Amino acid sequence: MTRVVYVNGRYLPYAQAGVHVEDRGFQFADAIYEVCEVNGGRIVDETRHMDRLERSLGELRIAMPMSRRALGLVLREVIRRNRVRTGLVYLQVTRGTAPRDFPFPAGEVTPTVVCLARRVDDARRDARATNGIAIKTLPDIRWGRCDIKTVMLLPAVLAKAAAEKEGAQEAWFVDPDGFVTEGASSNAWIVERSGMIVTRPAGNAILPGVTRRTLVDVLDREKIPFTERPFSVDEALAAREAFITSASGTVMPVVAIDKVPIGDGRPGELTRRLRSIFHQAAELSP
Ligand code: PDD
């Protein structure tokens, strides 16, 4: 349960936390966000999340609303006030409030900053990892700058709903050439029968996941072979293992894609190992 939300300099009770009706985040999705894992009360990979936040803001020409240090203090205070030990902290920055008009507002507009934190049911997430998740594939109907973490998430919302309808927990977007781009809210990976791990290279078609980046460190450290190249749905269906990565699930095994079992239909051995060692390579904030 979220009890306290940070909104533009104030820590407000959940029921009273709101932004203006002409906030550009609300009207145009003119906003970016970050989701960080909270593990033992500490923020996982804060530096990389802040790097991506600054980059996303820069791409949209929204000013950093405050220093990284100040943002870090807000994250910590929200985590503390909501007594989150295991969960997520969400940070959103919009261009701010201005009379509705498409061009950037003239003059100084103060960005809107919202931060909330929420507990995650550890046991439920672990159960999900033990069972593995099912994927539904869908055409990627998103825009050409998926590398920017904007709140323009309607295709992801629709994809998740379509997946849920078929008993799947995540959707994988597929480009016009039949290659998987990424999950609706995760990066997509497979393990070939040879043992080679494959994930799509960073670029405009996917969000450069922080979990993805840290997992690459894990693979380097453990000398596990991996390659960054696009893979097709057919390759995924023939893979030995598959998994997704995100701040909300770290490394999550995939056991079925479009109702076809992957490998023996159970979470793969390598995936389980990567899940168990992931946090060894992650940065845990003080
Ligand atoms: N989603 N790709 C997309 C489209 C995402 O929305 C996310 C994260 C990722 C994984 O990125 P990271 O490892 O930095 O979490 C990839 C977050 C968790 C969300 O929207 O809730």
Side-chain angles (χ1 to χ4, degrees):
M1 195 177 81
T2 304
R3 302 164 348 137
V4 180
V5 183
Y6 174 91
V7 185
N8 292 331
R10 297 197 295 163
Y11 294 91
L12 299 171
Y14 187 72
Q16 287 157 35
V19 297
H20 198 275
V21 291
E22 288 215 286
D23 190 283
R24 289 182 62 97
F26 180 60
Q27 290 184 331
F28 296 112
D30 190 357
I32 61 96
Y33 75 108
E34 281 297 326
V35 178
C36 307
E37 183 197 359
V38 179
N39 189 299
R42 299 160 84 184
I43 303 166
V44 177
D45 281 327
E46 182 181 3
T47 307
R48 282 180 172 156
H49 283 285
M50 286 294 167
D51 286 348
R52 189 171 63 188
L53 177 99
E54 274 203 75
R55 179 180 180 277
S56 296
L57 287 172
E59 291 296 311
L60 300 189
R61 285 184 279 150
I62 299 175
M64 270 287 269
M66 61 184 92
S67 68
R68 278 170 84 124
R69 202 183 114 71
L71 277 174
L73 293 176
V74 170
L75 295 180
R76 280 166 186 71
E77 189 60 14
V78 171
I79 292 167
R80 192 186 69 76
R81 288 191 190 221
N82 290 288
R83 299 200 194 120
V84 176
R85 301 290 302 164
T86 304
L88 298 168
V89 61
Y90 174 89
L91 177 66
Q92 182 175 339
V93 181
T94 87
R95 195 179 304 280
T97 297
R100 185 178 182 278
D101 197 9
F102 286 87
F104 295 165
E108 277 292 280
V109 182
T110 311
T112 299
V113 182
V114 170
C115 182
L116 52 89
R118 181 159 288 155
R119 290 178 198 164
V120 166
D121 184 342
D122 223 1
R124 230 180 114 200
R125 191 172 50 188
D126 284 348
R128 192 176 246 220
T130 304
N131 296 327
I133 63 162
I135 300 287
K136 175 178 170 57
T137 64
L138 289 157
D140 197 340
I141 57 166
R142 303 173 302 163
W143 72 327
R145 289 302 307 275
C146 293
D147 57 310
I148 309 172
K149 198 164 172 64
T150 77
V151 300
M152 204 168 59
L153 293 170
L154 198 47
V157 169
L158 296 176
K160 292 265 192 188
E164 199 176 48
K165 213 168 151 204
E166 291 189 10
Q169 292 77 34
E170 175 61 309
W172 277 6
F173 289 124
V174 180
D175 72 17
D177 299 319
F179 293 104
V180 174
T181 51
E182 62 180 330
S185 64
S186 60
N187 289 115
W189 305 68
I190 57 169
V191 183
E192 292 177 335
R193 289 191 184 275
S194 65
M196 175 70 80
I197 298 183
V198 185
T199 196
R200 189 175 176 114
N204 292 349
I206 67 164
L207 184 79
V210 167
T211 319
R212 175 190 182 284
R213 184 65 195 75
T214 298
L215 189 65
V216 167
D217 287 348
V218 173
L219 300 177
D220 279 339
R221 219 159 76 172
E222 300 291 316
K223 298 190 170 50
I224 298 170
F226 80 98
T227 179
E228 290 177 282
R229 66 163 179 84
F231 62 85
S232 66
V233 175
D234 284 344
E235 281 181 278
L237 294 174
R240 192 165 82 190
E241 301 181 22
F243 61 91
I244 58 170
T245 54
S246 71
S248 47
T250 65
V251 179
M252 187 59 70
V254 168
V255 293
I257 299 172
D258 293 337
K259 299 195 158 75
V260 177
I262 303 306
D264 63 4
R266 283 178 303 197
E269 198 183 310
L270 184 52
T271 304
R272 283 190 285 124
R273 178 168 158 229
L274 294 177
R275 181 175 174 83
S276 71
I277 61 176
F278 173 78
H279 287 104
Q280 291 172 13
E283 175 199 44
L284 286 177
S285 70

